[in-house]
Amino acid sequence: MAVTEGAAAETLDVERVRADFPILAREVNGRPLVYLDSAATSHKPQRVIDAVADFYARHNANAHRGIHTLGEEATELYEDARARLARFFGAPAPETIVFTRGTTESINLVAQGWGRTVLREGDEILLTEMEHHSNIVPWQMTVEVTGARLRYIPLTDDGLLDLSGLDALLTERTKVLGVTGMSNALGTITPLAELIAAAHAVGAVVVVDAAQLAPHHAIDVAALDVDFLAFSGHKMLGPTSSGGLYGKAELLERMAPMLGGGEMISEVFHDHATYKSPPYRFEAGTMEVAEQVGLGAAVAYLQELGMDAVRAHERAITAYALERLAEAGATIYGPTDPAIRGGAVSFWYKDVHPHDLAQILNEEGVAIRAGHHCAQLVMRRYGTPATARASFYVYTTTQEIDALIAALATAEAIFA
Amino acid sequence: MAVTEGAAAETLDVERVRADFPILAREVNGRPLVYLDSAATSHKPQRVIDAVADFYARHNANAHRGIHTLGEEATELYEDARARLARFFGAPAPETIVFTRGTTESINLVAQGWGRTVLREGDEILLTEMEHHSNIVPWQMTVEVTGARLRYIPLTDDGLLDLSGLDALLTERTKVLGVTGMSNALGTITPLAELIAAAHAVGAVVVVDAAQLAPHHAIDVAALDVDFLAFSGHKMLGPTSSGGLYGKAELLERMAPMLGGGEMISEVFHDHATYKSPPYRFEAGTMEVAEQVGLGAAVAYLQELGMDAVRAHERAITAYALERLAEAGATIYGPTDPAIRGGAVSFWYKDVHPHDLAQILNEEGVAIRAGHHCAQLVMRRYGTPATARASFYVYTTTQEIDALIAALATAEAIFA
Amino acid sequence: MALDDIYKEVILDHYKNPRNKRPLERATVSCTRNNPLCGDEITVLANVEDGTLREVAFQGAGCSISQASASMMTEAVAGRPVEEALDLAAAFRGMMAGEVEPTEERFGDLVALKGVVRYPIRIKCAVLAWDVLQESLAGDGEATATSIH
Amino acid sequence: MALDDIYKEVILDHYKNPRNKRPLERATVSCTRNNPLCGDEITVLANVEDGTLREVAFQGAGCSISQASASMMTEAVAGRPVEEALDLAAAFRGMMAGEVEPTEERFGDLVALKGVVRYPIRIKCAVLAWDVLQESLAGDGEATATSIH
Ligand SMILES: Cc1ncc(COP(=O)(O)O)c(C=O)c1O
Ligand SMILES: Cc1ncc(COP(=O)(O)O)c(C=O)c1O
C-alpha cells in the first residue's frame, strides 16, 4: 500500500515536539493556547523559522539567475528543497516536482495547463462531493473554456465516498478523476489505490489533492501510480506560500504553462516565445525561494519524526477526541473509525451554532474553526450551513482535547 | 508629476542603513560581499526578517478563516499590510490592492483576468521593446486565446523609448498599453505621465510594470491615473513571494479570476460558483500571508527612509558608477543621464564576455549579474546576447563602486 | 467575563425567540444573501408601501449574532420610512465600525450588539441582515447569490 | 588563485583562437541551441559519412567557457565514429557532474575544463556545445529554438 502505516510505528514524544514550536508558548485570553486548527494551517518549528531567516540573513539572492556566490547558494538551497520533496513523496526525479504557492495553485495549474490543452466537449471530469473548493472551482473554470462536463461521486450518510455507482460515473468519457486524499471537512481518507486503478482502467488521469493527506501520511507517488499530486507547505510545518505539484514527467512535458514571464522561457521574440522544459516551464518570474527552502527544512523535520510515527500520533489523538466528543454529546460528521480517517473532526455541539461555539471556546484559549471549510457541497449534503472543526497535528496532546471538552461546557451553559 | 523627486531630498545615512542588513556582514571568497545585484532581488533589513519570524512565532494562522484570536491577528496583520501598500502607492482604497507573489503573477492576472475578458480580434496590445519577459509573454499567451495583436514601441539608439511614431502605434485599436516604469536592462525611466495621457486619449488601459520603479521612486497611482500597476515585494526589501497588483476599482470589478479555489468564492454549487468582490476574488487558496506581512514591514522601513531620499541616493550612486565605468572604458547600454535613469547599469567591459566578467568579479567578492536580464528584445535591439549589469540600492556605497572598478582590472589582466 | 459583552441576555433572547422570523406573503421586496465565511444565509422580506416599510420579516439559519441582529432589525425598522431604515442601517454599520456612539436612544435593543465590535469576524455576522435589507431596498432584490463580505 | 582553475592558458587559447569556428558547406547535420541563462547561442555543424564525423565546426558567440569547450570539442570528435563522439559527450557530462575522473588520457585538452565543476552555473556554458552536438546527431538537427538548461 502506498499510504504506508507502519504496524509497529514508533510514537512521538509530543512534549519534545512541542518545545520546537515557539508559538505554543503563547497565551490567548490569559489561557495557554490550545490550537486545534492545524487543518487550516500548521504551526512552524523553530528550525523552519530559522531556515527562512537564515536564507535572508546569509544566502539571499534570486535563484537560477546569478553567477555570483549568493546566486549559486540560493539556487542550490532551492533545488535541494525540490530534491528533498521528491524523495519525501517517492517521486522518480526532482524535475517531477513543480513549485507552487500551494495546493490551490497546483490544481489550477493542472486544470489549466493540462486540462485546457487536453479536454474537449464530450469529455468528463469526475470529482467527488467531498472535494475542497480548490479542487472544484478550477475545474469549473476549465469546463467553461473546454466544454467538458463535471460529474461527482456522491457521499454515503457516514461520510465515505459512495462507490456503488462508480461504474456508471467512471467511463471512457472520463478524462480526469480529481479526488482528495483526505477530506478537510469530514476527515475521511479515501481509497486512493483503488480509485487510481479504476481510473487508469478507463484511461483517466488522476489528480490527488494531498493538502490534508501529505502532512500526516507517508505518500509514495510512484507506488500509488498517481498522475498528479498537489500539496501545501503551510499545512505540513512549512512557510506560507510553499508547496507544489508532483506530475508524471510525460504529463508535465505535454502541459502548457499557466503563467508566462521571466525564467520560464527559452527564447522570446516579438510575436512568440519558446519555453523551458518542466519543471521550469511552470515557474514564471521570481519564485517563493525562501519559502520553498523553509519547506525543505519542514520536510526534513517530518522525516526525523518519521511519517509512521506522525500518522500513529494522528490516529491516536483522533481516536481519543472522537471518544471524548461523543461522550460530551457532540454530533460527528464523517467516519468514526480512526483507521480510515485523519485528524480533522467536524461536529456540532448540541444546538450551539459553530460560530458561537468557536467564539466561546476562544475565550478559553481553545482555537477551532467554524464554517463551511471551503466544502459547501459537503455542508449541503449533510444539511448544515457550517460545522465546528477541531484538527490535530504532531504537537497536539490529549490534555488539549480535554481542554476542548471542558470548554464545551461553558458554551452549553450560555446557550442552555 | 506623480513620480515625485523632492528637490531638496534628504540623503540617506548609508552606513546606518547598512547596519540594518545582516547579509552585508558576509564575506565571499574571503572578501567583504559587494552586492551589486539588487535589481534581481534586494536584501532584507533585520526588521523584515523579524516580521516574518515573528508572524510564525506569535501570530501564525490562516487569514480570513478563523474566529479564534490567532486567526484574527493574522487577518489583521495581512490586511494592515494591504492598507499600508495602498497608502504607499497613493491608492484610493486597500481594496484596490490585490496580493500576488510578485510582478509576473500580477501581469498574468491582468493579461488573463482582464485581457481575456475584454480583448477581441482586431484589438491591439501595445508594448515596448524594453519590456521584461514578464510583460511580454503573458500578453503573447492572451493573444493566442483572443486573436488580438501585439505591437511594440521601438527604442532609440541611446536606450530611450522612440516615441516619434507613437501616433501610428497608439490608435483606437489599442486596448492596452503595457509599459515598464523603469527598464531592468537599460535603467531607463519611462515618461509614464505622458504615455498614460496618450493612451487614455485613445481609450486604452495602461498596465505599468513597476518592478524596478517601485523600489526607488515614490509612486502615486491616483495622480498618475494609471489603470493597473504591478510590483514585486522582493525587489523592495520585502520577502520573496510578496507583492501585488494595484487596479482601478471599476476595472478590478469587471475582471475574471485567474485562479479558482477556496476563499475567493461566495457560493459553490456542483456546476458553478459565484465569486467574491475584489480584491478577494483574486486571492484563491491560502495566500502568502507571512510574506505580505513582511512586505508591510519593508514598506514601513522605506517610508522611514523617505522615498525622496531613496531616489536621491539611487541617483547619486548611479551618477558615480556611470562616471567611473566610463573612465574604466566600459560601454554603457542605456541612457547616461542619471536624471532619466535608475540604478541598474548594463555594460560590456572591453571584450570580456559578461559571464566571464561576473565570474571573475565574484572571485573578488563583487556580485553582478550577467545575461539577457529577461529582456531578449533589448539584447537583440542592441546586437548583444548578454550584458553585465551592476545595480544599486539603499545600502550601496561609492566604495562598493570602487571595488567593482578595481575588480575590472583583474578581468582585463586575464583576458588581455 | 468578556463574553458577557457579546452573549447578553437580550441577544440570547432574540436568538432563541426570534421576532418576525416567518414568510411574508405580501412582501414587495426580498433578498437572500450568504456570509461566505460560514455559509449562513439570510432572507429579508419586506412589504413597502408609499415609501414605508409596512412589515418586515426574515428567514434563514445562522449564529446567535446574525439571528439576533436580524430579529432586532425587523423590530427596529418596521413601520419606518425607507429613508429612516437606511439611515439606521448606516448608523448600525457605523456602530460596528466603532465610529458611531452606541446609544440606547438611537439603537434600542440593538445596542446590545456593541460588544461585537471587538470581534472583527463576527461583525460580518451582525451586519449580514442589514446588508440584505439594504440590497432588497435598493431594488435589485432578486434572490441571487451575490456575496457580501 | 582559484580562478586559475578555470581561466587556464589552454582555455584562453581556445577562446582567443577558436579551432574550427567557421561555416561548413558540406555539413550533413547541424543544430543551433541557446543557453537560456545568458542568451549565448551555438551552432554545431558536422559532416557525417558512413557513421563517422568527417568534419566538425561550430559558430556563434559566447563566454570563454562555452567557446573554448566548443572549440576543443570539434578537435576531440572530428574523425571519430558517431558512437565514440556520443560516448565522449556522455563522459564529458559525467566529468562536469563530478562523476567521471578527469584524466588527460581520456579528455586531452578538455581536462582543462574540470575546474568548471566548482561553478554550477558555468557547467551549462561548458556543456552547451556538447548538447548541441548530441542533438544534431540525434537526427532532429533542424535549427529550432528548443532550450537546453
Ligand atoms: C522590469 C521588471 N519587470 C518584471 C520583473 C519580474 O518580477 P518578478 O520576478 O518579481 O515577478 C522584473 C524582475 O526581474 C523586472 O525587473
Ligand atoms: C483538502 C484541501 N484541499 C485544498 C486546500 C487548499 O490548500 P491551500 O489553501 O493551501 O491552497 C485545503 C486547505 O484549505 C484542503 O484542506
Side-chain angles (χ1 to χ4, degrees):
Chain A
M1 203 174 89
V3 176
T4 35
E5 302 207 13
E10 308 151 51
T11 50
L12 297 183
D13 180 344
V14 181
E15 283 312 319
R16 260 186 63 192
V17 168
R18 290 180 68 83
D20 294 331
F21 291 77
I23 202 168
L24 297 180
R26 243 201 83 152
E27 299 207 328
V28 164
N29 294 320
R31 313 280 184 104
L33 168 65
V34 174
Y35 184 74
L36 302 178
D37 196 18
S38 288
T41 199
S42 73
H43 287 314
K44 325 300 173 200
Q46 189 63 46
R47 192 193 303 195
V48 169
I49 301 173
D50 288 347
V52 173
D54 193 59
F55 179 85
Y56 292 131
R58 294 182 46 212
H59 310 289
N60 179 62
N62 216 320
H64 285 293
R65 278 143 179 94
I67 285 178
H68 52 73
T69 298
L70 293 185
E72 283 181 355
E73 290 174 1
T75 303
E76 200 176 315
L77 287 164
Y78 181 68
E79 292 301 330
D80 281 355
R82 193 193 308 274
R84 185 176 283 281
L85 280 162
R87 288 193 304 275
F88 184 70
F89 287 122
E95 290 72 30
T96 60
I97 302 288
V98 180
F99 280 137
T100 69
R101 158 204 289 128
T103 303
T104 301
E105 188 177 14
S106 294
I107 295 175
N108 277 276
L109 175 54
V110 179
Q112 294 188 33
W114 185 84
R116 293 189 191 178
T117 306
V118 166
L119 295 173
R120 302 276 170 274
E121 193 142 353
D123 290 344
E124 291 181 358
I125 299 162
L126 182 60
L127 305 176
T128 88
E129 284 189 339
M130 68 170 69
E131 297 312 305
H132 187 280
H133 294 160
S134 290
N135 203 18
I136 297 175
V137 182
W139 297 109
Q140 291 178 338
M141 290 164 64
T142 289
V143 159
E144 241 173 71
V145 176
T146 60
R149 185 179 159 211
L150 278 183
R151 305 191 71 181
Y152 290 88
I153 298 175
L155 308 184
T156 66
D157 286 344
D158 44 358
L160 303 177
L161 293 180
D162 179 354
L163 300 177
S164 61
L166 189 63
D167 284 354
L169 286 168
L170 187 63
T171 69
E172 75 277 12
R173 280 188 307 276
T174 314
K175 293 296 175 293
V176 191
L177 169 64
V179 59
T180 190
M182 171 185 151
S183 160
N184 66 309
L186 295 167
T188 319
I189 294 174
T190 56
L192 285 184
E194 178 186 340
L195 288 167
I196 290 169
H200 286 175
V202 300
V205 153
V206 182
V207 183
V208 168
D209 170 354
Q212 295 296 338
L213 191 69
H216 298 279
H217 299 253
I219 295 178
D220 184 326
V221 291
L224 264 179
D225 197 25
V226 61
D227 301 292
F228 291 106
L229 182 124
F231 56 95
S232 295
H234 72 95
K235 293 192 202 279
M236 46 196 287
L237 309 181
T240 50
S241 209
S242 66
L245 175 71
Y246 159 78
K248 282 185 181 163
E250 63 271 23
L251 293 172
L252 291 179
E253 200 55 68
R254 287 166 64 196
M255 231 164 80
M258 179 171 73
L259 303 179
E263 298 307 315
M264 51 72 76
I265 60 89
S266 168
E267 284 193 276
V268 174
F269 303 92
H270 284 76
D271 59 343
H272 77 288
T274 57
Y275 305 139
K276 281 189 180 148
S277 306
Y280 305 105
R281 185 189 300 162
F282 309 110
E283 299 183 358
T286 300
M287 293 292 290
E288 47 284 327
V289 186
E291 291 72 20
Q292 304 293 6
V293 170
L295 175 54
V299 165
Y301 184 86
L302 284 173
Q303 286 171 322
E304 283 174 35
L305 295 185
M307 288 307 290
D308 288 347
V310 169
R311 167 59 183 152
H313 177 68
E314 181 198 38
R315 190 171 159 164
I317 199 86
T318 303
Y320 184 75
L322 288 169
E323 202 177 76
R324 298 286 330 255
L325 280 166
E327 268 170 33
T331 309
I332 308 290
Y333 292 76
T336 49
D337 175 359
I340 54 164
R341 63 164 299 144
V345 180
S346 265
F347 64 97
W348 263 79
Y349 180 65
K350 315 239 158 138
D351 283 337
V352 186
H353 188 283
H355 260 187
D356 292 316
L357 190 68
Q359 179 100 54
I360 293 165
L361 296 192
N362 184 59
E363 219 59 38
E364 319 255 315
V366 179
I368 63 162
R369 177 135 176 230
H372 54 61
H373 315 296
C374 299
Q376 291 184 346
L377 299 192
V378 172
M379 298 299 121
R380 236 170 267 131
R381 167 67 176 81
Y382 297 106
T384 176
T387 68
R389 183 187 71 188
S391 58
F392 321 126
Y393 208 9
V394 289
Y395 36 70
T396 308
T397 64
T398 52
Q399 292 89 323
E400 289 185 311
I401 306 296
D402 295 341
L404 162 68
I405 302 295
L408 292 178
T410 311
E412 195 179 3
I414 291 177
F415 282 92
Chain B
M1 203 173 91
V3 178
T4 36
E5 303 206 11
E10 308 151 52
T11 50
L12 297 183
D13 180 343
V14 181
E15 284 311 320
R16 261 186 61 192
V17 168
R18 289 179 69 82
D20 294 330
F21 291 78
I23 203 169
L24 297 179
R26 244 202 82 149
E27 298 206 331
V28 165
N29 293 320
R31 315 280 185 105
L33 167 66
V34 174
Y35 185 76
L36 302 178
D37 196 19
S38 288
T41 199
S42 73
H43 287 316
K44 325 300 175 201
Q46 190 63 48
R47 195 194 300 194
V48 168
I49 300 173
D50 289 346
V52 173
D54 193 59
F55 178 84
Y56 292 131
R58 292 181 48 210
H59 310 290
N60 179 62
N62 216 321
H64 285 295
R65 279 146 179 90
I67 285 178
H68 53 72
T69 299
L70 293 184
E72 282 182 357
E73 289 174 0
T75 304
E76 199 175 316
L77 287 164
Y78 181 68
E79 292 301 330
D80 281 356
R82 194 194 305 276
R84 184 176 286 280
L85 279 162
R87 289 194 303 276
F88 184 70
F89 287 122
E95 290 74 27
T96 59
I97 303 288
V98 179
F99 280 136
T100 69
R101 152 202 294 126
T103 303
T104 301
E105 189 176 16
S106 295
I107 295 174
N108 277 277
L109 175 55
V110 179
Q112 294 187 34
W114 185 84
R116 295 190 189 178
T117 306
V118 166
L119 295 173
R120 300 278 171 273
E121 193 141 353
D123 290 343
E124 291 181 359
I125 298 163
L126 182 60
L127 305 176
T128 88
E129 285 189 338
M130 68 170 70
E131 297 314 305
H132 186 281
H133 295 160
S134 289
N135 202 18
I136 296 177
V137 183
W139 297 109
Q140 291 177 339
M141 290 164 65
T142 289
V143 159
E144 241 173 71
V145 177
T146 61
R149 187 181 157 209
L150 277 184
R151 304 192 71 182
Y152 289 89
I153 297 175
L155 309 184
T156 66
D157 286 344
D158 45 357
L160 302 179
L161 293 179
D162 179 354
L163 300 178
S164 61
L166 190 63
D167 285 354
L169 286 168
L170 187 64
T171 69
E172 75 276 11
R173 280 189 305 278
T174 314
K175 293 296 176 292
V176 191
L177 169 64
V179 59
T180 189
M182 172 185 150
S183 160
N184 66 309
L186 296 167
T188 319
I189 294 174
T190 56
L192 285 184
E194 182 186 334
L195 288 167
I196 290 169
H200 285 174
V202 300
V205 154
V206 182
V207 183
V208 168
D209 170 353
Q212 295 296 338
L213 192 68
H216 298 279
H217 299 253
I219 296 177
D220 184 327
V221 291
L224 263 179
D225 197 24
V226 61
D227 301 293
F228 292 105
L229 183 124
F231 56 96
S232 295
H234 72 96
K235 293 191 201 280
M236 47 197 287
L237 309 182
T240 50
S241 208
S242 66
L245 175 71
Y246 159 78
K248 282 184 180 164
E250 63 272 25
L251 293 173
L252 291 179
E253 199 55 69
R254 286 166 63 195
M255 232 162 83
M258 178 170 74
L259 303 178
E263 296 308 314
M264 51 73 76
I265 59 89
S266 170
E267 282 193 277
V268 174
F269 303 92
H270 284 76
D271 60 343
H272 77 287
T274 57
Y275 305 138
K276 280 188 181 151
S277 306
Y280 304 105
R281 185 189 301 162
F282 308 109
E283 299 183 0
T286 300
M287 293 292 289
E288 47 284 326
V289 186
E291 292 72 21
Q292 305 293 6
V293 171
L295 176 54
V299 164
Y301 184 86
L302 284 173
Q303 286 170 322
E304 282 173 34
L305 296 183
M307 288 307 290
D308 289 347
V310 169
R311 167 59 184 153
H313 177 67
E314 180 198 40
R315 190 171 160 164
I317 200 84
T318 304
Y320 184 75
L322 288 169
E323 203 176 76
R324 298 284 331 255
L325 281 166
E327 268 171 31
T331 309
I332 309 290
Y333 291 75
T336 50
D337 175 0
I340 55 163
R341 63 164 298 144
V345 180
S346 264
F347 64 96
W348 264 78
Y349 180 65
K350 312 236 160 137
D351 284 337
V352 186
H353 188 284
H355 261 188
D356 292 315
L357 190 68
Q359 179 100 55
I360 294 165
L361 296 191
N362 184 57
E363 221 57 40
E364 319 256 317
V366 179
I368 64 163
R369 175 136 177 228
H372 54 59
H373 315 295
C374 300
Q376 291 183 344
L377 300 192
V378 172
M379 298 299 121
R380 236 171 266 132
R381 167 68 176 79
Y382 297 107
T384 178
T387 68
R389 184 187 70 187
S391 58
F392 321 126
Y393 208 9
V394 289
Y395 35 70
T396 309
T397 64
T398 53
Q399 291 90 320
E400 290 184 309
I401 307 297
D402 295 342
L404 163 67
I405 301 296
L408 293 178
T410 311
E412 195 178 3
I414 292 178
F415 282 92
Chain C
M1 167 183 167
L3 271 182
D4 287 354
D5 262 16
I6 132 164
Y7 293 110
K8 282 181 190 305
E9 281 291 313
V10 50
I11 292 177
L12 293 172
D13 176 47
H14 275 273
Y15 177 48
K16 291 174 189 167
N17 312 295
R19 327 294 198 260
N20 304 306
K21 184 168 179 179
R22 57 183 164 92
L24 188 62
E25 268 166 35
R26 289 171 308 276
T28 58
V29 298
S30 83
C31 183
T32 301
R33 293 288 181 267
N34 80 314
N35 177 345
L37 185 73
C38 58
D40 285 352
E41 199 173 87
I42 281 195
T43 302
V44 170
L45 309 110
N47 176 6
V48 184
E49 272 173 42
D50 306 329
T52 296
L53 291 157
R54 297 279 165 223
E55 278 180 290
V56 187
F58 81 102
Q59 293 195 283
C63 66
S64 63
I65 305 299
S66 75
Q67 294 283 300
S69 183
S71 168
M72 293 182 198
M73 178 188 78
T74 61
E75 290 197 317
V77 300
R80 293 222 209 182
V82 167
E83 291 291 270
E84 268 184 51
L86 291 176
D87 281 356
L88 187 61
F92 182 75
R93 215 181 295 279
M95 176 169 97
M96 285 297 118
E99 289 157 4
V100 168
E101 193 69 21
T103 58
E104 192 102 28
E105 300 80 45
R106 179 125 200 215
F107 292 103
D109 274 8
L110 285 164
V111 93
L113 287 165
K114 70 173 188 229
V116 173
V117 175
R118 291 179 43 233
Y119 304 97
I121 292 202
R122 303 307 297 280
I123 293 174
K124 290 180 190 168
C125 308
V127 299
L128 180 58
W130 297 85
D131 283 339
V132 186
L133 174 72
Q134 253 179 329
E135 281 213 54
S136 64
L137 294 178
D140 60 339
E142 283 312 298
T144 55
T146 308
S147 77
I148 288 154
H149 60 253
Chain D
M1 167 185 168
L3 269 183
D4 286 354
D5 262 16
I6 133 165
Y7 294 110
K8 282 182 189 305
E9 281 293 313
V10 50
I11 292 178
L12 293 172
D13 176 47
H14 275 274
Y15 177 48
K16 289 174 188 164
N17 311 295
R19 327 295 198 258
N20 305 307
K21 183 168 179 179
R22 56 183 164 92
L24 187 62
E25 266 167 36
R26 289 172 307 276
T28 57
V29 297
S30 83
C31 182
T32 300
R33 294 290 182 265
N34 80 313
N35 176 343
L37 184 73
C38 61
D40 284 353
E41 198 171 86
I42 281 196
T43 301
V44 170
L45 308 110
N47 177 5
V48 183
E49 270 172 45
D50 305 329
T52 296
L53 290 157
R54 298 279 168 222
E55 278 180 289
V56 187
F58 80 102
Q59 294 196 282
C63 66
S64 62
I65 305 298
S66 75
Q67 293 283 299
S69 182
S71 168
M72 294 182 198
M73 177 188 80
T74 60
E75 292 197 316
V77 299
R80 295 221 206 182
V82 167
E83 290 291 271
E84 268 184 52
L86 291 176
D87 281 356
L88 186 62
F92 182 75
R93 217 183 294 280
M95 175 169 97
M96 286 296 118
E99 289 157 4
V100 170
E101 194 70 21
T103 60
E104 193 103 28
E105 300 78 47
R106 178 124 202 216
F107 292 105
D109 275 7
L110 285 164
V111 93
L113 287 166
K114 70 171 190 230
V116 173
V117 174
R118 291 179 42 234
Y119 304 96
I121 292 202
R122 302 306 296 281
I123 294 173
K124 290 179 190 170
C125 307
V127 298
L128 179 58
W130 296 87
D131 284 338
V132 186
L133 174 72
Q134 253 179 328
E135 281 213 54
S136 62
L137 295 178
D140 59 338
E142 284 311 297
T144 54
T146 307
S147 76
I148 289 156
H149 61 252

